[in-house]
Amino acid sequence: MELPERLSARFEGSFAYKTVKDRLPTILVSVIDTLHKEKEKLAEKYPVQGTTQLKEVVSRLSKLRYEMMTNKPLNYLDDELPDASIWNDYLCQLSKSGDTPSWFRSHWLYVECLMYRQIVSSLKQSQILADFDPFFESKKKSYLTSLEAIHTVIGYLTSKTSSPPTDVLDRKMLLREFLELSLWGNRCDLSISAGRDNSQTANPLKQVGQLDELILADDFNNLWDYLRSLRAKTKTGAKVRIDIILDNAGFELLSDLCLAEILLTLGCATEIVFHMKAYPWFVSDTTEEDVQFCVSQLLQSELLAEKTLGSCWANRINEGVFVFKKDLFWTLPHDFAAMRSVRPKLYSSLARSNLLIFKGDLNYRKLVGDRQWPRQATSFCESLLQFNPAPLLSLRTLKCDVCVGLSAATVAKLDKENKDWMTNGQYAVIQYTQTVLPLELPDPTVTGVKGSVVINPLATAVID
């Protein structure tokens, strides 16, 4: 099968072009400004090295911004992090294709990921700033400005988990509500707003149901039938694992944790595995520090329902019912279809799950290869290019111009009514496939990423 072209900034006027031209340089300016705000603190704590190392990092980022805006050739990474060789191999292979890889000529998914990896590289080469997350304060602010919505959701969750429904239709409705809360929580994406506040201020419970007409593909009924079969398994004492590949921190992370709680309450799972980013990524993507912050905020809350829920989740973490993992594959530029060869151990792990839930836009782009698929002529399963380790669900609000599995009538209607419908975050998809391909892993000696680690977000130690 001949694959469609990848999205790229070389298509002038496209969303990718506008992103590389405007949004990515703006994010770099925001990172530089954040570092400048740390100047006095660093000078006080590290009188000799603080200011010097800060200037070096800022200089590297300013150079990166200049090279991006002037479409300079892409550079190899010069750090010693365990994934650097994979990034450099990727660039080497692109260089063999003919065109010199550059910010506006290479495919969008790669160059956007590369910018964030270059930010990480700049910080990691500073002894003082190696573990600094330049996006943490904006993620923290997004959470704190969403407190009213968080109070509302947790209050509702508490009322439902304290007295779970027994009727099958009521259980289905409850799952649908929290699935939609998680879905629409994906609107809170700071990379799309270039770091500007994009928190959840509206009452999220009022959005549930009211926004159904904005869900362009909805496989919920098929998903529900499968989850009922998982519930039947847990009733026999069998273990059932569901994996959630996280997207944004803040309100979205909170809504994902609430969805996980409902899946446990309804007996659809006995273990939930959450996959985070190993590096600060795409401004608001969830890291270990963000999980720690979320749970600690609940534990410190003056509201009994939130304190109780925080204690419940802390216990679930300690007991291994909630498991948090980070793997460097999630911050590589590869499509997920490449996971079998690049990171076979991760693929094998996902194959042991009963359901994979991929959150958000970046995960969707990697699922479908960030290609210009025909929107109404390509099924969701086909676009995965045989990435089918387990039954798979995507919950995503549309924030880039790639989408599959839509009806021709839907596409025609939206193209006529709203030219920005694929990028404005107003529409969403719930797409599910139960297709699972036989697990035939490649030679495990293939070069991959070292170190998938399991962490306890409430502890300081990382458990290998």
Side-chain angles (χ1 to χ4, degrees):
M1 178 176 68
E2 185 175 345
L3 296 177
E5 279 198 86
R6 295 180 184 272
L7 302 179
S8 172
R10 72 175 180 271
F11 301 111
E12 192 167 341
S14 67
F15 190 68
Y17 175 83
K18 294 173 185 176
T19 296
V20 178
K21 178 178 178 292
D22 299 321
R23 187 157 53 88
L24 297 188
T26 299
I27 289 170
L28 283 170
V29 169
S30 177
V31 172
I32 292 169
D33 288 345
T34 298
L35 287 167
H36 277 303
K37 291 175 184 177
E38 296 292 311
K39 184 176 180 179
E40 290 185 11
K41 190 186 302 182
L42 288 173
E44 182 178 339
K45 190 172 182 180
Y46 305 99
V48 178
Q49 297 176 305
T51 302
T52 301
Q53 290 193 21
L54 177 66
K55 286 181 179 178
E56 290 173 353
V57 173
V58 168
S59 176
R60 289 174 67 98
L61 295 178
S62 298
K63 181 174 180 286
L64 175 64
R65 182 174 182 269
Y66 168 77
E67 290 174 348
M68 178 187 296
M69 296 183 71
T70 54
N71 194 29
K72 292 291 188 291
L74 303 177
N75 295 318
Y76 289 95
L77 295 175
D78 58 356
D79 59 60
E80 297 181 357
L81 296 176
D83 60 341
S85 62
I86 300 176
W87 278 93
N88 290 338
D89 287 345
Y90 195 97
L91 178 54
C92 182
Q93 292 302 315
L94 281 183
S95 300
K96 294 177 181 178
S97 64
D99 269 353
T100 299
S102 66
W103 291 97
F104 281 83
R105 297 294 299 171
S106 297
H107 62 272
W108 173 31
L109 179 62
Y110 168 55
V111 299
E112 189 167 16
C113 289
L114 179 61
M115 184 198 78
Y116 288 99
R117 183 57 178 79
Q118 291 280 19
I119 293 173
V120 170
S121 181
S122 297
L123 292 168
K124 290 292 185 183
Q125 293 185 63
S126 162
Q127 183 181 1
I128 293 171
L129 293 165
D131 296 321
F132 181 71
D133 181 349
F135 309 123
F136 180 72
E137 287 301 319
S138 60
K139 290 182 283 187
K140 176 181 174 181
K141 180 182 177 183
S142 178
Y143 181 95
L144 294 176
T145 52
S146 301
L147 281 179
E148 285 301 317
I150 289 170
H151 298 335
T152 300
V153 169
I154 291 178
Y156 187 64
L157 175 70
T158 301
S159 70
K160 293 300 181 180
T161 54
S162 61
S163 182
T166 56
D167 179 76
V168 63
L169 292 180
D170 290 340
R171 290 198 299 268
K172 181 179 181 181
M173 183 179 297
L174 179 61
L175 179 67
R176 174 76 188 201
E177 288 175 331
F178 279 89
L179 195 82
E180 285 199 32
L181 284 170
S182 175
L183 171 68
W184 295 115
N186 184 239
R187 282 180 168 177
C188 303
D189 188 332
L190 292 172
S191 71
I192 293 299
S193 61
R196 295 186 299 275
D197 181 49
N198 197 13
S199 54
Q200 177 72 36
T201 54
N203 184 330
L205 295 179
K206 289 184 177 180
Q207 293 180 324
V208 172
Q210 292 182 355
L211 299 178
D212 278 0
E213 63 181 15
L214 303 180
I215 300 175
L216 306 180
D218 189 347
D219 295 331
F220 175 74
N221 285 333
N222 292 334
L223 171 69
W224 171 247
D225 289 342
Y226 177 63
L227 288 173
R228 288 184 70 186
S229 72
L230 295 185
R231 186 174 187 270
K233 286 186 177 182
T234 66
K235 292 299 180 184
T236 67
K239 292 183 178 180
V240 171
R241 167 183 150 189
I242 292 178
D243 289 50
I244 302 178
I245 294 81
L246 297 168
D247 191 17
N248 298 301
F251 179 79
E252 183 176 359
L253 171 61
L254 187 283
S255 69
D256 295 339
L257 290 165
C258 289
L259 173 60
E261 188 65 32
I262 287 297
L263 288 168
L264 293 172
T265 299
L266 295 179
C268 299
T270 58
E271 176 189 5
I272 310 289
V273 178
F274 300 90
H275 298 267
M276 313 170 297
K277 300 298 193 299
Y279 301 137
W281 207 250
F282 275 62
V283 183
S284 52
D285 280 17
T286 300
T287 65
E288 176 182 357
E289 188 177 16
D290 301 320
V291 176
Q292 292 173 338
F293 175 78
C294 178
V295 177
S296 66
Q297 285 295 301
L298 296 179
L299 289 170
Q300 296 167 24
S301 175
E302 296 180 355
L303 300 177
L304 179 60
E306 294 183 13
K307 188 182 290 289
T308 302
L309 184 61
S311 180
C312 171
W313 286 348
N315 289 334
R316 292 205 186 285
I317 292 168
N318 290 330
E319 294 167 359
V321 178
F322 280 0
V323 179
F324 289 83
K325 293 185 177 181
K326 53 184 179 180
D327 191 294
L328 288 173
F329 182 83
W330 304 120
T331 48
L332 289 177
H334 299 72
D335 305 343
F336 292 154
M339 188 186 293
R340 281 176 180 263
S341 58
V342 177
R343 189 68 174 114
K345 288 184 179 179
L346 177 60
Y347 190 96
S348 179
S349 173
L350 297 182
R352 293 191 291 272
S353 179
N354 296 94
L355 175 66
L356 306 174
I357 302 177
F358 285 85
K359 289 298 309 292
D361 213 57
L362 177 59
N363 281 327
Y364 192 91
R365 291 169 63 189
K366 289 190 171 188
L367 282 169
V368 304
D370 216 35
R371 296 181 181 276
Q372 299 177 42
W373 294 103
R375 296 164 295 181
Q376 66 272 35
T378 310
S379 71
F380 178 56
C381 187
E382 178 189 358
S383 70
L384 299 178
L385 298 178
Q386 298 188 332
F387 177 72
N388 300 100
L392 188 155
L393 170 70
S394 174
L395 299 176
R396 173 235 186 176
T397 57
L398 278 62
K399 288 166 284 194
C400 82
D401 45 358
V402 59
C403 195
V404 297
L406 306 183
S407 71
T410 295
V411 172
K413 179 175 181 291
L414 290 171
D415 281 344
K416 182 178 179 180
E417 295 178 353
N418 187 342
K419 64 182 179 65
D420 296 324
W421 66 272
M422 293 185 73
T423 59
N424 61 17
Q426 296 304 303
Y427 296 91
V429 292
I430 301 172
Q431 291 182 308
Y432 169 72
T433 175
Q434 205 166 316
T435 300
V436 178
L437 296 180
L439 182 60
E440 297 174 0
L441 294 178
D443 185 344
T445 61
V446 172
T447 300
V449 182
K450 296 178 181 178
S452 175
V453 296
V454 182
I455 69 159
N456 179 342
L458 299 181
T460 56
V462 175
I463 306 169
D464 291 318

Coordinates of all heavy atoms in Angstrom, one line a residue, residues 143 150 153-154 157 161 178 181-182 244 246-265 272-276 286-287 290-296 298 309-310 312-314 316-317 321-324 357 359 457:
Y143 N -3.7 23.8 36.6 CA -4.5 23.0 37.6 C -5.2 23.9 38.6 O -6.4 23.7 38.8 CB -3.5 22.1 38.3 CG -4.1 21.2 39.4 CD1 -4.5 19.9 39.0 CD2 -4.4 21.6 40.6 CE1 -5.1 19.0 40.0 CE2 -5.0 20.8 41.6 CZ -5.3 19.5 41.2 OH -5.9 18.7 42.2
I150 N -12.6 21.0 39.2 CA -12.1 19.8 39.9 C -12.9 19.5 41.1 O -13.3 18.3 41.3 CB -10.6 20.0 40.3 CG1 -9.7 20.0 39.1 CG2 -10.1 19.0 41.3 CD1 -8.3 20.5 39.4
V153 N -16.1 17.8 39.8 CA -16.0 16.4 39.3 C -15.7 15.4 40.4 O -16.3 14.3 40.5 CB -14.8 16.4 38.3 CG1 -14.4 14.9 38.0 CG2 -15.1 17.1 37.0
I154 N -14.9 15.8 41.4 CA -14.6 14.9 42.5 C -15.8 14.7 43.4 O -16.1 13.6 43.8 CB -13.4 15.5 43.3 CG1 -12.1 15.3 42.5 CG2 -13.3 14.7 44.6 CD1 -10.9 15.9 43.1
L157 N -17.9 12.2 41.4 CA -17.2 10.9 41.5 C -17.5 10.2 42.8 O -17.8 9.1 42.9 CB -15.7 11.1 41.3 CG -14.9 9.8 41.4 CD1 -15.2 8.8 40.2 CD2 -13.4 10.1 41.5
T161 N -19.1 6.6 43.4 CA -18.3 5.4 43.8 C -18.8 4.9 45.2 O -18.6 3.8 45.5 CB -16.8 5.8 43.9 OG1 -16.7 7.0 44.6 CG2 -16.3 6.0 42.5
F178 N -18.0 9.6 32.5 CA -16.6 9.8 32.9 C -15.6 9.7 31.7 O -14.6 10.3 31.6 CB -16.2 8.9 34.0 CG -16.6 9.5 35.3 CD1 -17.9 9.2 35.9 CD2 -15.8 10.4 36.0 CE1 -18.3 9.8 37.0 CE2 -16.2 11.0 37.2 CZ -17.4 10.7 37.7
L181 N -15.9 13.1 30.2 CA -15.1 14.0 31.0 C -13.6 13.9 30.7 O -12.9 15.0 30.5 CB -15.3 13.8 32.5 CG -16.6 14.2 33.1 CD1 -16.7 13.6 34.5 CD2 -16.7 15.7 33.2
S182 N -13.1 12.7 30.5 CA -11.7 12.5 30.1 C -11.5 13.0 28.6 O -10.5 13.7 28.4 CB -11.4 11.0 30.2 OG -10.1 10.8 29.7
I244 N -3.5 3.4 30.2 CA -3.9 4.7 29.7 C -2.6 5.4 29.4 O -1.8 5.7 30.2 CB -4.7 5.5 30.8 CG1 -6.0 4.8 31.2 CG2 -5.0 6.9 30.2 CD1 -6.8 5.4 32.2
L246 N -1.1 8.7 28.8 CA -1.6 10.0 29.2 C -1.2 11.1 28.2 O -0.2 10.9 27.4 CB -1.0 10.3 30.6 CG -1.4 9.4 31.7 CD1 -0.6 9.7 32.9 CD2 -2.9 9.6 32.0
D247 N -1.9 12.2 28.3 CA -1.6 13.4 27.5 C -1.2 14.5 28.5 O -0.2 14.5 29.1 CB -2.7 13.7 26.5 CG -2.2 14.8 25.5 OD1 -1.0 15.0 25.3 OD2 -3.1 15.4 24.8
N248 N -2.2 15.4 28.7 CA -1.9 16.6 29.4 C -2.0 16.5 30.9 O -2.9 15.7 31.4 CB -2.8 17.8 29.0 CG -2.6 18.1 27.5 OD1 -1.5 18.5 27.1 ND2 -3.7 17.9 26.7
A249 N -1.2 17.2 31.6 CA -1.3 17.3 33.1 C -2.5 18.2 33.4 O -3.3 18.6 32.6 CB 0.0 17.9 33.7
G250 N -2.6 18.6 34.7 CA -3.7 19.5 35.1 C -5.1 18.8 35.2 O -5.2 17.7 35.6
F251 N -6.1 19.5 34.7 CA -7.4 19.0 34.7 C -7.6 17.7 33.9 O -8.3 16.8 34.4 CB -8.5 20.0 34.2 CG -9.9 19.5 34.2 CD1 -10.6 19.5 35.4 CD2 -10.5 19.0 33.1 CE1 -11.9 19.0 35.5 CE2 -11.8 18.5 33.1 CZ -12.5 18.5 34.3
E252 N -6.9 17.6 32.8 CA -7.0 16.4 32.0 C -6.5 15.2 32.8 O -7.1 14.1 32.8 CB -6.3 16.5 30.7 CG -6.6 15.2 29.8 CD -6.0 15.2 28.4 OE1 -5.4 16.3 28.0 OE2 -6.1 14.2 27.7
L253 N -5.4 15.3 33.4 CA -4.8 14.2 34.2 C -5.8 13.8 35.3 O -6.1 12.6 35.5 CB -3.5 14.6 34.8 CG -2.9 13.6 35.9 CD1 -2.6 12.3 35.3 CD2 -1.6 14.2 36.5
L254 N -6.4 14.8 36.0 CA -7.4 14.5 37.0 C -8.6 13.7 36.5 O -9.0 12.8 37.1 CB -7.8 15.8 37.6 CG -8.7 15.9 38.9 CD1 -10.2 15.6 38.6 CD2 -8.2 15.0 40.0
S255 N -9.0 14.2 35.3 CA -10.2 13.5 34.7 C -9.8 12.1 34.2 O -10.6 11.2 34.3 CB -10.7 14.3 33.5 OG -9.8 14.3 32.4
D256 N -8.6 11.8 33.8 CA -8.1 10.5 33.5 C -8.1 9.6 34.7 O -8.4 8.4 34.7 CB -6.7 10.5 32.8 CG -6.7 11.3 31.5 OD1 -7.8 11.4 30.9 OD2 -5.6 11.7 31.1
L257 N -7.6 10.1 35.8 CA -7.6 9.4 37.1 C -9.0 9.0 37.5 O -9.3 7.9 38.0 CB -6.8 10.1 38.2 CG -5.3 10.3 38.0 CD1 -4.8 11.4 38.9 CD2 -4.6 9.0 38.3
C258 N -9.9 10.0 37.3 CA -11.3 9.7 37.7 C -11.9 8.6 36.8 O -12.7 7.7 37.3 CB -12.1 11.0 37.5 SG -11.8 12.2 38.8
L259 N -11.6 8.6 35.5 CA -12.0 7.6 34.6 C -11.5 6.2 35.1 O -12.2 5.2 35.1 CB -11.6 7.8 33.2 CG -11.8 6.7 32.1 CD1 -13.3 6.4 32.0 CD2 -11.2 7.1 30.8
A260 N -10.2 6.2 35.5 CA -9.6 4.9 36.0 C -10.4 4.4 37.2 O -10.6 3.2 37.4 CB -8.2 5.2 36.3
E261 N -10.7 5.4 38.1 CA -11.5 5.0 39.3 C -12.8 4.4 39.0 O -13.3 3.4 39.6 CB -11.7 6.2 40.2 CG -12.2 5.9 41.6 CD -11.3 5.1 42.4 OE1 -10.1 5.2 42.3 OE2 -11.9 4.3 43.2
I262 N -13.5 4.9 38.0 CA -14.8 4.4 37.5 C -14.6 3.0 36.9 O -15.4 2.1 37.1 CB -15.5 5.4 36.5 CG1 -16.0 6.6 37.3 CG2 -16.6 4.7 35.8 CD1 -17.1 6.3 38.3
L263 N -13.6 2.8 36.1 CA -13.3 1.5 35.5 C -13.1 0.4 36.6 O -13.6 -0.7 36.5 CB -12.1 1.6 34.6 CG -12.3 2.3 33.3 CD1 -11.0 2.6 32.6 CD2 -13.2 1.5 32.4
L264 N -12.5 0.8 37.7 CA -12.3 -0.1 38.8 C -13.6 -0.3 39.6 O -14.0 -1.4 39.9 CB -11.3 0.5 39.8 CG -9.8 0.5 39.3 CD1 -8.9 1.3 40.3 CD2 -9.2 -0.9 39.1
T265 N -14.3 0.8 39.8 CA -15.6 0.7 40.5 C -16.6 -0.2 39.8 O -17.4 -1.0 40.4 CB -16.2 2.1 40.7 OG1 -15.3 2.9 41.4 CG2 -17.6 2.1 41.4
I272 N -4.8 -0.5 36.7 CA -4.7 0.5 35.7 C -3.2 0.9 35.6 O -2.6 1.3 36.6 CB -5.5 1.7 36.0 CG1 -7.0 1.4 36.3 CG2 -5.5 2.7 34.9 CD1 -7.8 0.9 35.2
V273 N -2.6 0.9 34.4 CA -1.2 1.3 34.2 C -1.3 2.6 33.4 O -1.9 2.7 32.3 CB -0.5 0.2 33.4 CG1 1.0 0.7 33.1 CG2 -0.4 -1.1 34.1
F274 N -0.6 3.6 34.0 CA -0.6 4.9 33.3 C 0.8 5.1 32.7 O 1.8 4.8 33.4 CB -0.8 6.0 34.3 CG -2.2 6.0 35.0 CD1 -2.3 5.2 36.2 CD2 -3.3 6.6 34.5 CE1 -3.6 5.2 36.8 CE2 -4.5 6.6 35.1 CZ -4.7 5.9 36.3
H275 N 0.9 5.6 31.5 CA 2.2 5.9 30.8 C 2.4 7.4 30.7 O 1.6 8.1 30.1 CB 2.2 5.2 29.5 CG 2.0 3.7 29.5 ND1 3.1 2.9 29.6 CD2 0.9 2.9 29.6 CE1 2.7 1.6 29.6 NE2 1.4 1.6 29.6
M276 N 3.5 7.9 31.3 CA 3.8 9.3 31.3 C 5.0 9.6 30.4 O 5.6 8.7 29.8 CB 4.2 9.7 32.7 CG 3.3 9.2 33.8 SD 4.1 9.5 35.5 CE 5.5 8.5 35.3
T286 N 2.1 15.1 30.7 CA 2.2 14.6 32.1 C 3.6 14.0 32.3 O 4.0 13.0 31.6 CB 1.1 13.6 32.4 OG1 -0.2 14.3 32.2 CG2 1.2 13.2 33.8
T287 N 4.3 14.4 33.4 CA 5.5 13.8 33.9 C 5.3 13.3 35.3 O 4.2 13.5 35.9 CB 6.7 14.8 33.9 OG1 6.4 15.9 34.8 CG2 6.9 15.4 32.5
D290 N 4.2 16.0 37.7 CA 2.8 16.4 37.6 C 1.9 15.5 38.3 O 0.9 15.9 38.9 CB 2.4 16.5 36.1 CG 3.3 17.4 35.3 OD1 3.6 18.5 35.9 OD2 3.7 17.1 34.2
V291 N 2.2 14.2 38.3 CA 1.4 13.2 39.0 C 1.5 13.4 40.5 O 0.5 13.4 41.3 CB 1.8 11.7 38.7 CG1 1.0 10.7 39.5 CG2 1.5 11.5 37.2
Q292 N 2.8 13.6 41.0 CA 3.0 13.9 42.4 C 2.2 15.1 42.8 O 1.6 15.2 43.9 CB 4.5 14.1 42.6 CG 5.3 12.8 42.4 CD 6.8 13.1 42.5 OE1 7.3 14.2 42.3 NE2 7.6 12.1 42.8
F293 N 2.3 16.2 42.0 CA 1.6 17.4 42.3 C 0.1 17.2 42.5 O -0.5 17.7 43.4 CB 1.9 18.5 41.3 CG 1.1 19.8 41.5 CD1 1.6 20.7 42.4 CD2 0.0 20.1 40.7 CE1 0.9 21.9 42.7 CE2 -0.7 21.3 40.9 CZ -0.2 22.2 41.9
C294 N -0.5 16.5 41.5 CA -1.9 16.3 41.5 C -2.4 15.5 42.8 O -3.3 16.0 43.4 CB -2.3 15.5 40.2 SG -4.1 15.1 40.1
V295 N -1.7 14.4 43.1 CA -2.1 13.6 44.2 C -1.8 14.4 45.5 O -2.7 14.4 46.5 CB -1.3 12.3 44.3 CG1 -1.7 11.5 45.5 CG2 -1.7 11.5 43.0
S296 N -0.7 15.2 45.6 CA -0.4 15.9 46.8 C -1.4 17.0 47.0 O -1.8 17.4 48.2 CB 1.0 16.5 46.8 OG 1.1 17.5 45.7
L298 N -4.6 16.9 46.3 CA -5.8 16.3 46.9 C -5.6 16.0 48.4 O -6.4 16.2 49.2 CB -6.1 15.0 46.1 CG -6.5 15.2 44.6 CD1 -6.8 13.9 44.0 CD2 -7.7 16.2 44.5
L309 N -10.2 11.1 48.5 CA -9.8 10.6 47.2 C -8.3 10.5 47.0 O -7.8 9.5 46.5 CB -10.4 11.4 46.1 CG -10.2 10.9 44.7 CD1 -10.9 9.5 44.5 CD2 -10.8 11.8 43.6
G310 N -7.6 11.6 47.5 CA -6.2 11.6 47.4 C -5.6 10.4 48.2 O -4.6 9.8 47.7
C312 N -7.1 7.6 48.9 CA -7.5 6.4 48.1 C -6.5 6.1 47.0 O -6.0 5.0 46.8 CB -8.9 6.5 47.6 SG -9.4 5.2 46.4
W313 N -6.2 7.2 46.2 CA -5.2 7.0 45.1 C -3.8 6.7 45.6 O -3.1 6.0 44.9 CB -5.3 8.2 44.2 CG -6.6 8.3 43.4 CD1 -7.5 7.3 43.2 CD2 -7.1 9.4 42.6 NE1 -8.5 7.6 42.4 CE2 -8.3 8.9 42.0 CE3 -6.6 10.7 42.4 CZ2 -9.0 9.8 41.2 CZ3 -7.4 11.5 41.6 CH2 -8.6 11.1 41.0
A314 N -3.4 7.3 46.7 CA -2.1 7.0 47.2 C -2.0 5.5 47.6 O -1.0 4.9 47.4 CB -1.8 7.9 48.5
R316 N -3.9 3.1 46.3 CA -3.9 2.4 45.0 C -2.5 2.3 44.4 O -2.1 1.3 43.9 CB -4.9 3.0 44.0 CG -6.3 2.9 44.5 CD -7.3 2.9 43.3 NE -8.7 2.9 43.6 CZ -9.4 1.9 44.0 NH1 -8.8 0.7 44.2 NH2 -10.7 2.0 44.3
I317 N -1.7 3.4 44.5 CA -0.4 3.4 44.0 C 0.5 2.5 44.8 O 1.3 1.7 44.3 CB 0.2 4.9 44.0 CG1 -0.5 5.7 43.0 CG2 1.7 4.9 43.7 CD1 -0.3 7.2 43.1
V321 N -2.3 -1.1 42.3 CA -3.5 -1.1 41.5 C -3.4 0.0 40.5 O -3.8 -0.1 39.3 CB -4.8 -0.8 42.4 CG1 -6.0 -0.8 41.6 CG2 -4.9 -2.0 43.4
F322 N -2.9 1.2 40.9 CA -2.5 2.2 39.9 C -0.9 2.1 39.8 O -0.2 2.1 40.8 CB -2.8 3.6 40.5 CG -4.2 4.1 40.3 CD1 -5.1 3.3 39.7 CD2 -4.6 5.3 40.8 CE1 -6.5 3.7 39.6 CE2 -5.9 5.8 40.7 CZ -6.8 5.0 40.1
V323 N -0.5 1.9 38.5 CA 0.9 1.8 38.3 C 1.3 2.9 37.3 O 0.6 3.0 36.2 CB 1.3 0.4 37.7 CG1 2.8 0.3 37.3 CG2 0.9 -0.7 38.6
F324 N 2.4 3.6 37.6 CA 2.8 4.7 36.7 C 4.2 4.3 36.1 O 5.1 4.0 36.8 CB 2.9 6.0 37.4 CG 1.6 6.6 37.8 CD1 0.9 6.2 39.0 CD2 1.0 7.6 37.0 CE1 -0.3 6.7 39.3 CE2 -0.2 8.1 37.4 CZ -0.9 7.7 38.5
I357 N -5.8 2.8 26.2 CA -6.5 4.0 26.0 C -5.5 5.1 25.7 O -4.7 5.5 26.5 CB -7.4 4.4 27.2 CG1 -8.4 3.3 27.5 CG2 -8.1 5.7 26.9 CD1 -9.2 3.6 28.8
K359 N -4.7 8.9 24.9 CA -5.3 10.2 25.1 C -4.6 11.2 24.2 O -3.4 11.3 24.1 CB -5.1 10.7 26.6 CG -6.0 9.9 27.6 CD -7.5 10.1 27.4 CE -8.0 11.5 27.2 NZ -7.8 12.3 28.5
P457 N 4.8 7.6 42.3 CA 4.8 9.1 42.3 C 4.8 9.7 43.7 O 5.0 10.9 43.8 CB 3.4 9.4 41.6 CG 3.1 8.2 40.8 CD 3.6 7.1 41.6

